[in-house]
Amino acid sequence: MLEALLTAGVTPHILVGTSIGSVNAAFLAADPSIERARELSALWRRLSAEEFFPLNPALVARALLQGAVFSPEPLRRLIEREIPYRRVEEAAVPLRIVATRCERRAGQPAVSLHSVAAGLDRRAGQAAVPLRLVAARLERTVEQAGIPLRIVTARFERRTQVLFAEGSVVDALMASCALPLVFPPYRIADQVYVDGGLSEYVPLLPALREGARVVYVLSLGAAHEHRGRPPSPRARVYRSLGNRFWRRTGLDLERQRADHREVRVVELPAPLTRVGLRDFSRLGELIDHAREQAERFLDSDLCRTA
């Protein structure tokens, strides 16, 4: 999508990102050029599931003790290696990163992974059963290994959107990408953060507050799935976590459009996808498809009337 926009002459004056989109935004913010967008594409094509979501027993064990399945260390190494600046305000174009700050009440006891899943279930819609099943399996596995599992986590009922406009870019990105159960909550000083999508999946307001009058939304939130045989149980669990955030995207966009009728909001169409969280085998194919679809959209009457 970025390649298509930049090729069409659309150059960003501000980049706002949440979750893994914040990493893409930070990468491009170093140099908002077509060459840099192609470098980002090449980077994702080189990544493997084992590099990004390693199933190393020691890493998984440490992640489980923090209330997640995967270690965030590979993501941190990727950010430190690929983002050429260290503070958000040092980006070549203004960069805003959205995360969610969580608070827990004083004296709140440690809870189990099953309790975390139950808390998410109330907000996860179709994810309810898969989350409970994976939590139960993980807890049995940990108990059999003789590792006590006690997770101190945030109460998701008390959450606040946080906008990082300055400070450590690594901290801001790690906070924004801390998807519950996938990555552990991320701590900065005495504050705990989780994925920015918990507060706002499509963060339009930061751009509007900076004076934006045309906003291009690059989101996979509206992605449709191919018809056919049902996905595997593991793929359902991973996708259901994402769907917790995605199902609200359309409502968010409509509300922002209604509140800011003077602003043109162009939502690029999401590609058809049926790929699990750890399936990196089709990244190149999906990137090519998204670019071609975005190019057709930008040349169509649908874009001109958006």
Side-chain angles (χ1 to χ4, degrees):
M1 293 178 182
L2 287 172
E3 290 180 43
L5 282 170
L6 290 161
T7 299
V10 178
T11 303
H13 296 96
I14 181 172
L15 289 160
V16 183
T18 186
S19 196
I20 198 62
S22 66
V23 176
N24 290 332
F27 187 96
L28 189 71
D31 173 23
S33 66
I34 182 61
E35 291 77 18
R36 183 70 173 170
R38 288 171 178 158
E39 290 175 14
L40 178 61
S41 171
L43 169 63
W44 278 109
R45 292 171 193 266
R46 292 194 302 268
L47 288 178
S48 67
E50 285 305 316
E51 178 182 358
F52 205 76
F53 295 117
L55 293 177
N56 177 285
L59 292 177
V60 171
R62 285 200 295 270
L64 285 172
L65 292 173
Q66 299 176 70
V69 179
F70 299 107
S71 167
E73 288 309 307
L75 174 60
R76 174 182 283 275
R77 289 194 294 270
L78 176 73
I79 292 169
E80 291 176 340
R81 183 178 70 239
E82 301 295 342
I83 306 300
Y85 51 92
R86 289 294 168 258
R87 298 185 63 82
V88 176
E89 63 268 31
E90 293 172 355
V93 297
L95 173 65
R96 302 292 183 265
I97 299 169
V98 177
T100 303
R101 184 174 62 229
C102 295
E103 302 175 18
R104 64 186 181 93
R105 296 171 186 171
Q108 179 185 346
V111 295
S112 69
L113 184 58
H114 186 272
S115 299
V116 177
L120 281 171
D121 282 348
R122 293 192 292 273
R123 297 163 179 78
Q126 72 183 70
V129 173
L131 283 176
R132 281 195 294 268
L133 290 177
V134 73
R137 175 173 293 185
L138 287 172
E139 287 197 323
R140 285 198 302 271
T141 301
V142 173
E143 287 170 1
Q144 291 167 359
I147 304 173
L149 179 61
R150 296 294 182 270
I151 303 159
V152 177
T153 186
R155 282 190 181 273
F156 290 102
E157 289 84 355
R158 300 177 62 182
R159 60 189 189 271
T160 306
Q161 182 188 109
V162 174
L163 188 67
F164 291 96
E166 58 184 18
S168 166
V169 70
V170 174
D171 282 341
L173 294 176
M174 294 296 291
S176 184
C177 293
L179 181 63
L181 289 186
V182 176
F183 291 134
Y186 191 77
R187 182 176 291 276
I188 302 175
D190 60 346
Q191 300 290 341
V192 175
Y193 298 87
V194 294
D195 194 288
L198 275 174
S199 52
E200 189 171 22
Y201 189 78
V202 179
L204 292 180
L205 282 179
L208 301 181
R209 288 167 181 161
E210 295 289 334
R213 287 297 172 263
V214 180
V215 178
Y216 288 88
V217 177
L218 284 65
S219 170
L220 298 184
H224 302 287
E225 296 181 1
H226 287 296
R227 301 288 182 183
R229 64 180 181 83
S232 68
R234 184 177 65 179
R236 283 201 301 269
V237 169
Y238 291 144
R239 269 212 312 278
S240 64
L241 289 170
N243 288 344
R244 153 65 188 94
F245 310 123
W246 296 346
R247 65 197 177 114
R248 213 179 55 218
T249 301
L251 294 175
D252 285 348
L253 286 174
E254 289 307 313
R255 187 186 72 248
Q256 299 296 353
R257 284 191 174 109
D259 292 344
H260 302 276
R261 297 187 182 279
E262 75 284 4
V263 177
R264 182 180 176 222
V265 179
V266 181
E267 183 184 8
L268 272 66
L272 294 172
T273 180
R274 188 178 174 181
V275 180
L277 182 69
R278 293 192 77 252
D279 184 359
F280 282 33
S281 63
R282 294 176 54 202
L283 277 180
E285 172 192 337
L286 291 171
I287 290 170
D288 291 338
H289 175 61
R291 182 185 62 250
E292 293 163 3
Q293 183 171 276
E295 288 172 345
R296 289 194 297 271
F297 173 76
L298 292 171
D299 285 337
S300 70
D301 291 337
L302 286 175
C303 178
R304 285 186 282 272
T305 58

